[in-house]
Amino acid sequence: MKKEDTVKLISAEGMEFVIDKEAAMVSQTIRNMLTSPGGFAEAEHGEVTFPEISAVILEKICQYFYWSLQYSRGKETEFHIEPELTLELMMAANYLHT
Amino acid sequence: MPVLRSREIPPVPPKPPKARSKVDPPATPTQGREQPATRLSSPHSLTPSPKTAGSVSGSAPSSLRRSLRLSSKGSSNVGDQVGLPEVERCIESSNGDVSKKRKLSVDVDGGFESGGSRVLSLRSGGKVTKRSPLGDGDVNGGGGGDEVVESNTKGKSIAETEYIEKSERDNEKENVNRKRRFSSEEKGKGKLVVETDLESKDETLVNGSVPDVEVPAEEVKSPDEKPSKRSNRGTNGGRMERFRDTARRNASRFAYFNTQEEEEKEEEDNNNLSMEAEREIPSVEEQIEENVAEDWPGPFSTAMKIIRDRAANLNVRQGSSSSGQVPSVKINWVPQKGKGKEGSKRLAPSLLDLSLRILVDNADAIASLDHVPDALRHKLCQMLCDSRRMNSNLLDLLLSGSPTEIRLKECSWLTEDQFTECFEKCDTSNLTVLQLDYCGQSLADYNVPSTLARSPISLPALTTLSLTGAYRLSDAGLSVLVSSAPALRSVNLSQCSFLTHGAIEILASSLASVLLELFVDDCQSIDAMLMLPSLKKLEHLEVLSVAGLESVTDKFIKEFISARGDGLKELNLSGCGKLTDSSLKIIAETCSILRALDIGNVPKLTDNSFGHLASGCRSLESLKLCRNAFSDDAIAAFLEMSGEILKELALNNVGKVGHNTALSLARRSRNLVSLDLSWCRNLTDEAMGLIVDSCLALRVLKLFGCTQITDVFLCGHSNADVEIIGLKLSPLLEHLKAAVESPLQYSSVSSLI
């Protein structure tokens, strides 16, 4: 993966997730951060920090991004979510507009 | 096997019950037939059917489903069989397969050979030569079938075949008693030229004669000739008469339905069929215009005139090529194959929805709802209430801490004890929104003080209160509640049937200067005139809903609107059956900032109301009609004038909505987000396609009961964002979004403090 096509999502604990830009753009919030004019640090460095989202949840969210891309390309599978993650995942998804 | 899809209700009353009960084995044909006879108390006996039942039932070719059905009806099929040729003829002219089937089915009758025999045998044993399929019996009946057939070729073959089959089923039932059939003729449903003589007239009517949609006068008196024919059962003329009558009647039904469709079909296929039909339309429309009093203000009457002229232009533009922008009653819209929904990518369900669904499924495992924002709590509660998984444990979770908003759209599961237990210990000091809909089981006068109104300052921040369905709450209980909630801005007391006008007095005495929204739908014990003085005291009322209150009269509207109408932003008068146009006049004149109006189920309103509305309420964003008697032209003219700002329009069951409205919607309604066209049966696929492709802001389109809409529209429209509800089976509750997202509809809370 080339550097220009990726973004880095950083969780609350500091764990970093490097994913494709296209996948990250599934989230409206991230899309706005990366594409809005104004020279924001996120857009320049390609890094977004989420101090309220834990690593487990962020990992699941990244998995969701890729699943969503797959789904819209035609491969419609089921996205499994462990029930114990659901509440936090819901709140993170709400924040990320995804 | 024919699939009994939902079909349009035919205008002829006696038929549908018979049609439905039609799947009889041969053993019971007589029974089925006797019923119609007795119902119409015809003097004719049912002798023909039993006699010939035996002869016919044996000869049914089993390969054809239709013939099976027909054969089981016994002798009445004799009549039916000959009635079929007419339909056959037309069908064959365009649809070879179907016609073959029908032809064969004709052969069911005793004496027919299978495989295309041309001989009809009469009861008396004589044979009547059946001409070529094109020259069969009653051309007009065929002509009527023609219209049906044309529709078939346009891709509605299943529906139309249904009708034909149904009509034949009907034929079978009714053929036994010719008096019956002729009596429905007497009702004037017959629209085709009557043949009095079988053989000679057949020649003249063969082929080519296009049935007029409008009934020549002489046809209506044709029933007079029939009794003589009917009495003479053995003759050719009598039988053919019967067949013709049946087909005529049914064809007229089809013609009636498909009139406007025929106009567009002509555009597409360039046949001359509906030319005469079109010419009839302008005259009909003009008649409608003449009937309405012309006292509308200027711009509206101008708009009406424009619409009328559209129809007049019909004849002028008739031959011109259909290039889309012609403002005629014809709709020019071609489905775009490949674009639209199929073309756009399937959107993955959002992570939020996925996690909400799992949460709802595992609701019992939720340990805490702290830190969950209110919006998500409401979504969760809504889904829990919809799936009936809400329980008191979850309510405890919601009430823990110091909640700010509680929205339970449905509390019928909540018992009184649970309610008392949960709310006794709830800290309500930060509560701004409390919605306990359908809480009748839980809330009564005696537990208000211990739960919600524990002290005079127990609900200091409450701005929005909704206690619908609290049927045990009386004026006294409400008084206690209101005294603890001095900051109330919005009160919803719908369906609290115990409350009287005293409740409104209580509200007015303590909340006169702050109350913005009041909903008293269906509060049967509240008399509108008695509550009028209190209502007038509410200084800043923005929203008033008195839906379902029969005591709301023109006088009430006049006095209230004169006093407080200039501040009203939303008015719901749905179901107030006594209102007339004069109320709308006053509303239009006074309520200049009215944004939402609901006048559904007010049957006395006429097109004059639209005239007033168009000139008066210039800010109207939401208009809801239901079962009103407005005409197509009036709605179209209103849209021409005020359609630009309209965001929500409901024309539910406004039966006269037709192509003028569709054209106006397409041209004017740029901002329309939600459209309800349920039960508007005059709109065709083309009209719908035009609307959806032109209203680019449209997101929700409700089409309940629009069985005339087919995949031509559903798969052919090119608006990828619109969600069409009501045609396929789909979970209904998903489409009912939560009513209000914010505490108040038109003001923000902070602006008032």
Side-chain angles (χ1 to χ4, degrees):
Chain A
M1 302 198 301
K2 288 197 230 152
K3 178 97 178 36
E4 306 77 58
D5 295 338
T6 64
V7 290
K8 194 189 284 186
L9 306 181
I10 306 172
S11 77
E13 299 94 342
M15 192 171 295
E16 300 174 353
F17 296 87
V18 179
I19 57 172
D20 291 322
K21 240 186 204 164
E22 193 192 352
M25 300 287 209
V26 171
S27 153
Q28 269 306 112
T29 313
I30 298 179
R31 181 192 292 252
N32 292 341
M33 282 184 196
L34 295 176
T35 57
S36 65
F40 290 114
E42 288 91 356
E44 282 186 29
H45 302 309
E47 289 181 11
V48 190
T49 317
F50 298 106
E52 321 93 17
I53 305 183
S54 71
V56 183
I57 304 294
L58 197 52
E59 183 183 9
K60 201 73 191 174
I61 290 175
C62 294
Q63 287 175 7
Y64 172 78
F65 289 154
Y66 282 103
W67 177 84
S68 168
L69 288 180
Q70 217 180 42
Y71 194 99
S72 54
R73 285 186 197 127
K75 187 170 169 198
E76 296 178 13
T77 53
E78 199 192 313
F79 185 67
H80 177 70
I81 304 179
E82 287 79 10
E84 43 287 0
L85 300 177
T86 333
L87 199 58
E88 287 184 46
L89 198 61
M90 176 185 77
M91 294 199 278
N94 186 40
Y95 171 70
L96 288 174
H97 252 110
T98 169
Chain B
M1 281 301 293
V3 174
L4 283 176
R5 286 179 43 207
S6 64
R7 51 186 164 78
E8 299 175 25
I9 313 291
V12 182
K15 296 202 191 79
K18 313 298 180 330
R20 266 178 238 126
S21 64
K22 213 14 187 178
V23 198
D24 313 339
T28 58
T30 56
Q31 186 167 6
R33 261 174 254 118
E34 265 152 7
Q35 284 166 1
T38 52
R39 273 181 50 190
L40 286 187
S41 62
S42 155
H44 276 279
S45 68
L46 293 177
T47 46
S49 40
K51 278 185 212 155
T52 52
S55 67
V56 178
S57 48
S59 61
S62 56
S63 56
L64 292 166
R65 57 170 195 244
R66 291 184 61 264
S67 54
L68 266 180
R69 226 185 309 123
L70 296 171
S71 68
S72 69
K73 305 316 168 280
S75 75
S76 71
N77 295 344
V78 172
D80 292 338
Q81 304 314 322
V82 184
L84 290 179
E86 294 118 10
V87 187
E88 262 186 55
R89 174 183 72 77
C90 331
I91 302 220
E92 185 164 53
S93 65
S94 60
N95 188 344
D97 288 345
V98 180
S99 71
K100 286 201 188 74
K101 282 189 186 166
R102 307 216 174 183
K103 226 162 65 150
L104 280 176
S105 65
V106 173
D107 302 330
V108 169
D109 200 347
F112 285 178
E113 307 159 17
S114 61
S117 147
R118 306 296 174 83
V119 174
L120 301 170
S121 73
L122 306 173
R123 225 168 264 117
S124 60
K127 295 211 189 287
V128 174
T129 306
K130 194 173 79 160
R131 281 180 207 95
S132 71
L134 287 184
D136 255 349
D138 199 4
V139 172
N140 282 332
D146 245 334
E147 297 192 31
V148 177
V149 166
E150 296 305 334
S151 316
N152 278 347
T153 61
K154 307 308 181 305
K156 297 188 183 165
S157 54
I158 296 178
E160 299 301 335
T161 311
E162 274 281 303
Y163 292 130
I164 294 167
E165 293 174 349
K166 180 173 71 66
S167 74
E168 280 155 357
R169 265 178 270 144
D170 296 336
N171 293 349
E172 293 144 16
K173 291 202 178 79
E174 286 143 19
N175 270 345
V176 177
N177 191 347
R178 293 164 213 134
K179 270 283 196 226
R180 279 196 59 250
R181 246 182 309 133
F182 124 75
S183 68
S184 49
E185 283 292 335
E186 274 174 329
K187 293 176 202 166
K189 298 232 168 26
K191 286 194 176 184
L192 303 168
V193 174
V194 174
E195 289 181 66
T196 54
D197 179 279
L198 170 66
E199 306 254 354
S200 60
K201 293 278 173 71
D202 280 352
E203 312 259 12
T204 59
L205 293 176
V206 164
N207 254 341
S209 77
V210 173
D212 274 335
V213 173
E214 137 178 313
V215 184
E218 65 268 15
E219 294 165 8
V220 182
K221 64 171 163 49
S222 67
D224 299 339
E225 300 161 336
K226 289 194 197 118
S228 56
K229 300 272 175 204
R230 303 273 171 103
S231 57
N232 194 1
R233 265 178 224 163
T235 64
N236 291 356
R239 180 181 307 181
M240 291 312 290
E241 197 61 60
R242 244 183 295 134
F243 308 148
R244 277 192 293 273
D245 294 339
T246 315
R248 197 179 304 134
R249 180 185 40 252
N250 295 317
S252 72
R253 197 185 327 142
F254 299 143
Y256 172 71
F257 271 130
N258 295 336
T259 301
Q260 299 214 325
E261 286 171 9
E262 289 307 306
E263 294 166 20
E264 296 121 36
K265 309 288 192 307
E266 188 196 307
E267 283 283 291
E268 295 183 13
D269 289 359
N270 266 346
N271 59 43
N272 300 324
L273 182 69
S274 52
M275 227 190 283
E276 291 139 1
E278 282 178 44
R279 266 182 236 126
E280 301 311 327
I281 301 301
S283 62
V284 170
E285 285 183 348
E286 275 153 23
Q287 281 167 15
I288 294 174
E289 301 322 312
E290 286 152 34
N291 292 340
V292 184
E294 297 275 346
D295 64 348
W296 300 319
F300 189 71
S301 58
T302 313
M304 290 291 292
K305 187 172 182 310
I306 294 174
I307 302 223
R308 263 180 257 155
D309 288 345
R310 272 189 202 160
N313 284 339
L314 217 93
N315 289 337
V316 176
R317 301 204 185 265
Q318 172 142 358
S320 65
S321 62
S322 53
S323 52
Q325 275 75 30
V326 174
S328 66
V329 178
K330 289 202 249 307
I331 305 268
N332 301 312
W333 173 79
V334 182
Q336 311 276 338
K337 296 285 185 282
K339 294 188 198 168
K341 294 211 268 201
E342 277 75 66
S344 67
K345 290 200 274 193
R346 289 282 311 273
L347 279 182
S350 74
L351 189 56
L352 188 59
D353 286 339
L354 289 174
S355 21
L356 272 173
R357 272 181 236 162
I358 297 183
L359 268 182
V360 167
D361 287 339
N362 299 306
D364 295 329
I366 299 179
S368 156
L369 285 173
D370 295 342
H371 308 301
V372 178
D374 282 333
L376 290 181
R377 285 189 188 205
H378 297 328
K379 266 205 175 124
L380 188 61
C381 284
Q382 184 194 339
M383 292 174 72
L384 285 169
C385 289
D386 284 348
S387 56
R388 304 289 301 182
R389 286 176 211 231
M390 196 67 197
N391 55 37
S392 55
N393 295 330
L394 288 162
L395 185 57
D396 277 334
L397 289 179
L398 280 174
L399 297 175
S400 68
S402 186
T404 46
E405 294 189 10
I406 298 173
R407 286 196 187 267
L408 291 173
K409 63 183 267 198
E410 203 260 315
C411 298
S412 58
W413 52 271
L414 190 61
T415 68
E416 192 178 313
D417 294 335
Q418 286 171 338
F419 170 78
T420 316
E421 205 183 309
C422 289
F423 277 88
E424 260 172 358
K425 48 187 201 279
C426 171
D427 177 11
T428 55
S429 51
N430 287 328
L431 204 57
T432 55
V433 172
L434 180 59
Q435 175 183 355
L436 296 172
D437 286 347
Y438 300 106
C439 60
Q441 193 193 180
S442 29
L443 192 65
D445 282 355
Y446 47 84
N447 58 4
V448 168
S450 59
T451 52
L452 296 175
R454 271 170 279 157
S455 74
I457 49 162
S458 63
L459 296 165
L462 195 67
T463 56
T464 306
L465 177 66
S466 173
L467 295 173
T468 70
Y471 50 78
R472 296 193 289 161
L473 190 69
S474 73
D475 297 346
L478 184 67
S479 168
V480 175
L481 196 50
V482 168
S483 60
S484 305
L488 275 178
R489 304 269 191 267
S490 166
V491 175
N492 187 338
L493 297 169
S494 302
Q495 297 176 342
C496 292
S497 37
F498 215 359
L499 297 179
T500 70
H501 63 276
I504 313 298
E505 275 177 32
I506 293 165
L507 290 176
S509 60
S510 43
L511 303 171
S513 53
V514 292
L515 197 64
L516 297 179
E517 305 178 358
L518 179 60
F519 301 83
V520 285
D521 306 348
D522 297 317
C523 290
Q524 303 301 338
S525 304
I526 294 185
D527 183 297
M529 293 308 295
L530 292 178
M531 79 164 167
L532 190 56
S534 323
L535 271 186
K536 287 196 213 173
K537 288 190 205 159
L538 300 172
E539 296 161 17
H540 301 291
L541 200 64
E542 289 180 349
V543 175
L544 178 66
S545 175
V546 288
L549 288 191
E550 287 292 337
S551 52
V552 168
T553 58
D554 288 336
K555 188 158 179 281
F556 170 85
I557 295 290
K558 178 160 181 270
E559 288 195 34
F560 175 69
I561 298 290
S562 317
R564 291 286 170 217
D566 44 3
L568 267 187
K569 292 190 181 148
E570 178 172 329
L571 189 57
N572 184 344
L573 301 169
S574 162
C576 298
K578 294 188 183 157
L579 296 181
T580 67
D581 292 336
S582 54
S583 297
L584 264 291
K585 184 160 189 280
I586 297 170
I587 290 172
E589 283 167 4
T590 326
C591 304
S592 46
I593 57 170
L594 195 67
R595 305 246 276 267
L597 181 64
D598 185 341
I599 41 174
N601 286 309
V602 185
K604 291 187 192 169
L605 297 181
T606 72
D607 290 345
N608 289 340
S609 302
F610 265 113
H612 300 309
L613 273 182
S615 56
C617 303
R618 308 302 302 163
S619 330
L620 206 59
E621 288 178 6
S622 162
L623 180 63
K624 291 194 184 156
L625 308 176
C626 180
R627 293 202 185 90
N628 297 93
F630 299 122
S631 72
D632 190 27
D633 293 337
I635 301 176
F638 172 76
L639 285 170
E640 292 282 339
M641 292 185 62
S642 312
E644 291 285 347
I645 47 172
L646 210 56
K647 292 207 179 111
E648 188 183 342
L649 180 63
L651 297 171
N652 191 328
N653 226 320
V654 181
K656 297 181 193 163
V657 163
H659 290 166
N660 282 324
T661 306
L663 282 166
S664 296
L665 276 172
R667 277 147 55 117
R668 286 276 181 259
S669 308
R670 300 270 163 259
N671 294 315
L672 197 63
V673 173
S674 162
L675 180 59
D676 183 357
L677 291 172
S678 302
W679 306 99
C680 292
R681 296 243 173 87
N682 287 335
L683 291 174
T684 61
D685 283 330
E686 285 74 23
M688 288 294 181
L690 189 68
I691 295 172
V692 167
D693 286 346
S694 313
C695 299
L696 297 173
L698 196 64
R699 294 291 172 267
V700 174
L701 177 62
K702 291 191 189 165
L703 292 177
F704 291 98
C706 287
T707 50
Q708 81 278 12
I709 303 294
T710 68
D711 282 342
V712 170
F713 162 68
L714 291 172
C715 302
H717 74 88
S718 52
N719 189 334
D721 301 321
V722 72
E723 193 187 345
I724 298 175
I725 301 170
L727 286 179
K728 323 262 184 197
L729 291 176
S730 55
L732 211 51
L733 290 176
E734 288 179 6
H735 305 126
L736 298 176
K737 313 278 184 220
V740 196
E741 298 297 331
S742 60
L744 298 171
Q745 298 192 44
Y746 295 100
S747 315
S748 67
V749 181
S750 56
S751 66
L752 301 160
I753 297 175

